[in-house]
Amino acid sequence: MNLVLAKNETGRALSDLLAVAGDRLPGAGAIADARRQAFDAYQRAGLPNRRVEDWKYTDLRVLMRDVLPLAATPDAAALTRAGRALKPHAIEGVRRLVLVDGAFAPDLSDVAGLEKGLGIRTLRKTMEAGDAPQAQLFAPDTSDAMVALNSAMMTDGLVIEVADGTVLSQPIHIVHIASGAVPAAMFTRSLLRLGKSAGATLVESYIAAEGAKTYQVHDSLVVSIGDNARLDHVRLVEDSREAFNISSAVVSLGAHAHFNTFGMTSGASVSRYQAVIAFAGEGSQVETNGVNLLNGRQHADTTLFLDHAVPNCASREIFRAVIDDRGHSVFQGRIIVRPKAQKTDAKMMTRALLLSDEAEADNKPELEIFADDVTCGHGATTGALDEGLLFYLRARGLSEKEAQALLIQAFVGEAIEQIASDSLRELAISAAERWLAARS
Amino acid sequence: MAAVQETVDRVRRIDVDQYRYGFETVIESDKAPKGLSEDTVRFISAKKNEPAWMLEWRLEAYRRWLTMTEPKWARVNYPKIDYQDLYYYSAPKKKELASLDEVDPEILKTYEKLGIPLREVEMLEGVVRPEGERKIAVDAVFDSVSVATTFQKELKQAGVIFMPISEAIREHPELVKKYLGTVVPTSDNYFATLNSAVFSDGSFVYVPPGVRCPMELSTYFRINERNTGQFERTLIIADKGAYVSYLEGCTAPQRDENQLHAAVVELVTLDDAEIKYSTVQNWYPGNSEGKGGIYNFVTKRGDCRGNNSKISWTQVETGSAITWKYPSCILRGDNSRGEFYSIAISNGHQQVDSGTKMIHLGKNTTSRIISKGIAAGVSQNTYRGLVTAHRKATGARNFTACDSLLIGDRCGAHTVPYIEAKNSSALFEHEATTSKISEDVLFYCIQRGLSQEEAVGLVVNGFVKDVLQQLPMEFAVEAQKLISISLEGSVG
Amino acid sequence: MALLEVKNLQVRVEEREILHGLSLTVNKGEVHAIMGPNGSGKSTLSHVIAGKPGYEVTGGEILFKGENLLEMSPDQRSSKGVFLAFQYPVEIPGVATMTFLRTALNAQRKARGESEFSTPDFLKKVREVAARLNIPQDMLRRGVNVGFSGGEKKRNEVLQMALFEPSLCILDEMDSGLDIDALRVAADGVNALRSPERAMVVITHYQRLLNYIVPDVVHVMSKGRVVKSGGKELALELEASGYAQFEDAA
């Protein structure tokens, strides 16, 4: 039935995308076939709209007004602009990997002197070489239309391998930069595989060069965390206010593994981050936290799906949304506990703070429980800043804006403080401060 | 662990066939021809001697229904319903009753077996009435028609209209026309539209301004005939400053085939009025293999149309093979209040998808949702609820607590809340938990001398207490018994 | 010039008049006690002086150091030197007490055109005051008042009073929820802050508090007015005979 629904302008234009850009996509033979299959899957599902339960609050038929052409390979001028944009977001002591307009930019990246146990290739080269197992590249077995579209159109990204027992000394920082000379769409996918007892930290940033025109980011991240391995992950969406960002993450954890992830969206016009996190081995643990900081007419959707398929795993979710002006924040958190997943301990808390009468917050925390010996719960609140707290702060000399800022920082702090590493936490705090500073 | 294992084993052996109300009443009945067409609609309307406007209303709904498709979003699975293989009208073959004495004695016996007082004489004489017990006026609906409404005279003195809706259409057309379909429009949803076309009977209540209804009003619904759908329609209006408490009970005989029940209930409260609507739903749930049972697809909605008005839904859902119902409140009037208290118990192969919608439109409206889901056997029990505050609904408040209890490891308990705030002054709080009965608590009780089943009963009753307290006293006792009975298979 | 002059103050809350023409003059160096039964309007007065929203001033004026206080926002009043010790200090989860103290102190100083405290100077000052009030360092790291006992919350209020050095301190039912030991610690803290440059208004229902903070002037409020003023002995008189005698006077 979705075929019919997809037949609006955007849907039609997307249907032509593969035909128009097909010859620019890397990979031949089996890979090209897999692309075709993924595209068919996308077309069967159609452009997500409010009738698709998972996309109820983010109707792309309304929000994604046009389809932009596939971004051109960045030229020297684009790389210069991207380099300039990179500066304020550069982090000390990390291994930086930069994608400009959806293509790997070696000159802005740091691929020299890889430590032992770390392997980095680009997705484009991996596809062109055709030597990676296809199941790995096209791994996400999901019926989601936008993941399928990403599979069909992906042009570049990073393929990172961390060998068994290797604990990386430096975080990896993947920076997506839109150079923005002309309106364009980019389709990227990165793969990260952590071997047994490996450890890594991954930071992802989404930014734009100054004066960037409207652009569309279609990104996906496929992660596999081996037994006893640990991944710390922070993603910061600070795209331009005209950007459209649909990103998906598909994560699977082995036994006794640990995944600590935090996402913050303060940029982009329309964005959605959807993550599927699956427990495949017992005794593992996930903390997934996030913040939406929105104003103007921003729309940001965070949709998390925690799949407790095996026993004895724990998950914690803390989500905070601060919405000003006519912003619209969506949080959907689904926890499924499958029949064999006894002793699951899963908790989720989502809170929204509305700063304006025209702001909107939609929360859908969902529990699906098929095992009895579990501790599961969720909570959700929506409200304005507490008048009593505001008055107390003002009675102590803070101006209205200062008092609000302090309370907002405390509010999002509850999610930010779950980030395990001090330096990453600082990174998130400064991104929040940038948003607050821009507000007043 | 051993103690719990025993419970689980018993759940597996569950014998839902112990359904207490599963007997059949053998009477002759007057049926419409099988199947659904414009002629069926005309047949029903003619049987009821309805005015032309009512027939037109039904036909319009029927034509609309033909263009609609069955909703699929609920977490329930059932084979396709053949709407042409059902009877849409069935009435005990003796009509135009002048008094209770003319009711078929078999039907009276049925209600006696169900413990429902139809003979007001008995009630009035009430030799052994416990002190403080209130009078309850009853409207009994048997298959498609109302068979008896008690205490009519006393209610009339108070100015309260309580009668079968089929009579109200004839006797109070101005009230029916003014309110029918204004809360649940004929186009609302597949089952409500079907109901609008073929509803046969149900209750009508009108409480005039300033009147506090002198007694509880009650309707008992019973599906008796084979292959018969029951489509009752209830309309309750509390005029300015009025108050009424209404109770609804449902049973059906044990049958191998599934029976369809698609009711519509509309409530309207004007300024300062209050309606308290309580349901104990105990339709036949099907047998231990999941065969038979009622498909309960019900649309219940209240409209707090006036300022300072209040609508409160309390439900104890233990029956039906499939339950699909979301008693809702439209909080239109300023300062209006909506409440939803629910106990939903599923055992055997039952599937429940139930919850509420609180739609905040007026200023300073408040709502409260307390939902207790208990899943046993291989049942699936879903709470689905919507809380929404519109732009202009300043000062909206909601508190929601939904807790689920799992008995055994083959059932499922799910929570699907939708929380939508379009207004910064809205304050919403939602919390949900899922757990099983603590083994420590069970052991503690058993160590103090309780049997396994008593211990589980104790814990379950504690779990649902908040909601039971909302029921009128007589119903609370009945509901408590019912809860034990419905979990009987699971705990002994 | 008086420090605080309240003249014929009339205040409404949601259409109901709570204060019906209250007048009060407080000079530098003085400690005034305002006593009265529940509902006499004591807390309303403290809230209106501090500028809490939700009160409608329908008549009269409040001058502070000769300036019209009613035209100022709550934070302006704070920077000018008005300090309200809350009856129920709020809990602010996620805002560390230390962060809060520094933010507030610097906001006040900035508003007065003074330089902001450097972090070492600030820390030194806080530690000094905290030690005097028997406030453990651990408390300063926690969220403002989060998980504090009643006594700890009140000591935190006194800590702020000492740190911000206001010229007018209004203590709203400082003794509520405190046992005798906690009360003594808090009162000692307050007494240490008495100075010729600073005035205090102590609002209380019970005489008990005034054994520890001895006032210069005692006012009795009833039904939204000051019905009697006198020396500290008036408080003892009230303790003996109760408020009933003033109910009619109002």
Side-chain angles (χ1 to χ4, degrees), chain B residues 33 327 346 350:
Chain B
S346 57
Q350 283 176 275

Side-chain angles (χ1 to χ4, degrees), chain B residues 432-447:
Chain B
T433 64
T434 303
S435 54
K436 67 168 183 172
I437 297 178
S438 150
E439 286 166 31
D440 292 343
V441 171
L442 275 189
F443 175 72
Y444 184 88
C445 295
I446 291 166
Q447 205 282 323

Side-chain angles (χ1 to χ4, degrees), chain A residues 53 56-57 356-358 360-370 372-373 376-384, chain B residues 75 380 391 406 408-409 412-415 417-424 426-434 436:
Chain A
E53 182 66 23
K56 183 177 163 65
Y57 296 109
S356 127
D357 275 341
E358 290 181 298
E360 178 170 349
D362 295 318
N363 277 302
K364 190 180 163 212
E366 207 178 329
L367 292 171
E368 268 182 88
I369 317 283
F370 295 94
D372 65 333
D373 194 4
C376 296
H378 65 225
T381 67
T382 306
Chain B
R75 180 187 275 286
Q380 298 295 325
R391 287 252 182 276
L406 293 138
D409 60 1
H414 320 296
T415 315
Y418 301 77
I419 306 156
E420 305 174 358
K422 296 183 175 72
N423 184 316
S424 70
L427 188 62
F428 290 170
E429 283 179 77
H430 167 101
E431 53 189 53
T433 64
T434 303
K436 67 168 183 172

